[in-house]
Amino acid sequence: MESSSNQAEFDYLFKMLMIGDSGVGKSSLLLSFTSDTFEDLSPTIGVDFKVKFVNIGGKKLKLAIWDTAGQERFRTLTSSYYRGAQGIIMVYDVTRRETFTNLSEIWAKEIDLYSTNQDCIKMLVGNKVDKESNRVVTKKEGINFARESGCLFIECSAKTRVNVQQCFEELVLKILDTPSLLAEGSRGVKTNIFKEKPPQSDAATKSFDPVSTAEKKASVSTSQRISEALELLEKGRELQAQGDFNQALYCFTQVIEKYKDFAFSDYARVGRALALYEVGDKEEAIVELEDVSISLKGYPEVHAALAAALYEDKHAPLLAENQFTIAVLLDPHYSDLSYVKETKHWPPSLISSLRNFITLS
Ligand code: GTP
């Protein structure tokens, strides 16, 4: 599998979802796959996603991989993210039996309840095989469960990266091999290289897809909109990382105005608030942060940004302290200024507010 260099063009966009108990290694697998590194990660808050461009099976693919939180308290936040997924990766930890039993107790039931693609491909992943001496779930048990549940199966280690690429590659190959999952909505928005594989007529797809034409059209248009919204959100984040907060503000605002029906547009609201703080109205930025801290409950970045702004601009040290305590409880990295600067790409004005708060409070 190669990483695709030309990110503007792709044949298909696939939405993939990672589920499983807290601590089984979902975020680590995703990080290992998307950035070739392994770090000790803090628990995922709600939902996050990463995008990777790859060439698999002769196709240029854009993979939007959603990493959900395994913790019970975030369950309601994640249910809507099953919608439209072509692939679902169910992860357990081979050294913790309860993470394996919870697959049938909790996770398979969630898929039945929420998944909208009945042909969606499922991949069962036994992670942490590097800890062989602590293993309590045998490979045979994994294979049997996968067979009973109609899943693909692989064992891997996010730490040593054994089988990580294969896991995603096999899943993608199977999706590519399933015509009903290659509906128009998953196609790339900027290229049209399907001449060798013309769109299937309703008659041709009937045997795969029991959904009515009207429903299918609606789903196609939703997938298309998701793809456009994700692209704008990514662009905004890219511009933010480059320090172009005016353009970033424009992209984030577009997402909010055109795609506010998608739950993930809240991430654009966070980006917009940060950019506004640098190049726009600070009051408005603070109101936006306060507002989005309610809808994106438990997202540490919002609490940390609010703390900095409340301290510096509202002279409200107690409120700031409260917000910062929440942020650091959720993710201890937020007390490290260089981490926030380098990985969150906050604007200089907000970094300076956070610095004042951390050093003077
Ligand atoms: P939630 O975000 O709470 O749902 O957890 P998660 O499933 O995303 O787990 P995460 O990736 O945060 O990993 C949990 C812990 O397991 C971290 O300390 C990782 O470093 C560790 N870990 C993840 N994968 C592996 C692995 O393959 N081998 C070993 N030895 N440790 C791993």
Side-chain angles (χ1 to χ4, degrees):
M1 174 174 39
E2 300 162 47
S3 283
S4 173
S5 52
N6 188 350
Q7 307 197 344
E9 298 184 349
F10 57 93
D11 300 336
Y12 295 109
L13 164 75
F14 291 150
K15 175 176 173 180
M16 290 150 70
L17 195 68
M18 309 197 61
I19 58 173
D21 278 10
S22 186
V24 294
K26 300 179 293 296
S27 305
S28 304
L29 284 168
L30 182 54
L31 191 74
S32 171
F33 176 61
T34 54
S35 68
D36 302 343
T37 59
F38 175 85
E39 295 169 14
D40 223 359
L41 297 171
S42 48
T44 306
I45 306 303
V47 178
D48 201 0
F49 75 91
K50 292 218 166 8
V51 170
K52 182 163 169 119
F53 290 84
V54 290
N55 291 331
I56 300 180
K59 298 284 181 215
K60 289 182 177 173
L61 305 172
K62 176 175 181 175
L63 308 179
I65 310 170
W66 295 80
D67 177 18
T68 64
Q71 289 179 22
E72 182 64 31
R73 64 198 166 110
F74 296 118
R75 291 269 49 94
T76 51
L77 203 67
T78 54
S79 60
S80 61
Y81 290 91
Y82 282 82
R83 206 166 300 138
Q86 283 96 350
I88 299 181
I89 302 178
M90 289 194 282
V91 188
Y92 66 95
D93 175 348
V94 297
T95 70
R96 283 165 58 213
R97 178 156 295 275
E98 76 277 12
T99 65
F100 182 67
T101 44
N102 278 343
L103 291 173
S104 51
E105 293 296 317
I106 299 174
W107 301 106
K109 287 179 186 157
E110 285 226 341
I111 297 179
D112 284 348
L113 264 177
Y114 301 122
S115 174
T116 51
N117 266 341
Q118 73 161 26
D119 295 332
C120 161
I121 309 298
K122 290 173 284 177
M123 164 72 95
L124 179 66
V125 177
N127 187 37
K128 306 198 189 179
V129 289
D130 56 287
K131 293 164 84 179
E132 189 55 42
S133 55
N134 297 331
R135 179 198 276 273
V136 293
V137 183
T138 64
K139 189 169 182 180
K140 185 97 182 69
E141 285 177 288
I143 292 172
N144 286 344
F145 181 72
R147 193 172 293 140
E148 284 160 23
S149 325
C151 303
L152 302 169
F153 175 71
I154 199 162
E155 282 192 339
C156 62
S157 162
K159 187 168 188 172
T160 62
R161 308 197 57 236
V162 151
N163 277 348
V164 173
Q165 301 292 316
Q166 288 85 332
C167 163
F168 288 90
E169 184 168 347
E170 277 185 31
L171 178 59
V172 166
L173 282 171
K174 185 76 182 165
I175 295 172
L176 279 170
D177 210 29
T178 309
S180 60
L181 295 175
L182 304 181
E184 226 161 294
S186 62
R187 281 191 185 165
V189 285
K190 290 190 179 152
T191 53
N192 187 9
I193 55 166
F194 297 99
K195 291 186 188 89
E196 78 283 9
K197 204 171 183 182
Q200 289 164 315
S201 68
D202 276 357
T205 52
K206 224 169 214 149
S207 54
F208 304 113
D209 197 351
V211 182
S212 75
T213 311
E215 278 174 316
K216 207 150 81 189
K217 271 194 185 141
S219 138
V220 164
S221 114
T222 304
S223 304
Q224 183 80 29
R225 291 185 66 238
I226 290 177
S227 171
E228 289 160 4
L230 278 178
E231 208 148 304
L232 264 175
L233 184 56
E234 269 173 66
K235 187 80 201 148
R237 286 179 172 180
E238 247 174 68
L239 289 160
Q240 183 186 337
Q242 290 159 11
D244 189 343
F245 293 98
N246 278 307
Q247 284 305 311
L249 180 61
Y250 174 76
C251 290
F252 291 134
T253 306
Q254 293 275 304
V255 178
I256 296 158
E257 285 177 357
K258 292 193 194 158
Y259 307 103
K260 63 171 172 287
D261 50 321
F262 296 136
F264 65 81
S265 67
D266 277 346
Y267 294 105
R269 293 178 65 197
V270 179
R272 177 169 179 272
L274 300 184
L276 264 179
Y277 193 85
E278 177 76 10
V279 295
D281 181 348
K282 283 197 172 150
E283 279 288 323
E284 198 184 335
I286 295 170
V287 170
E288 181 75 319
L289 285 172
E290 283 175 331
D291 211 36
V292 80
S293 74
I294 295 164
S295 51
L296 262 186
K297 224 179 286 154
Y299 196 63
E301 185 167 10
V302 183
H303 297 289
L306 248 184
L310 287 173
Y311 182 80
E312 188 72 8
D313 305 290
K314 295 273 180 188
H315 310 293
L318 279 180
L319 288 177
E321 196 66 52
N322 281 347
Q323 288 296 331
F324 197 64
T325 305
I326 300 173
V328 175
L329 274 175
L330 289 162
D331 185 345
H333 289 111
Y334 278 90
S335 53
D336 175 356
L337 207 59
S338 57
Y339 167 84
V340 181
K341 198 171 167 186
E342 280 152 29
T343 67
K344 299 294 159 187
H345 307 297
W346 279 14
S349 56
L350 195 58
I351 287 288
S352 145
S353 299
L354 185 65
R355 181 183 296 113
N356 290 343
F357 170 73
I358 291 176
T359 49
L360 300 177
S361 64

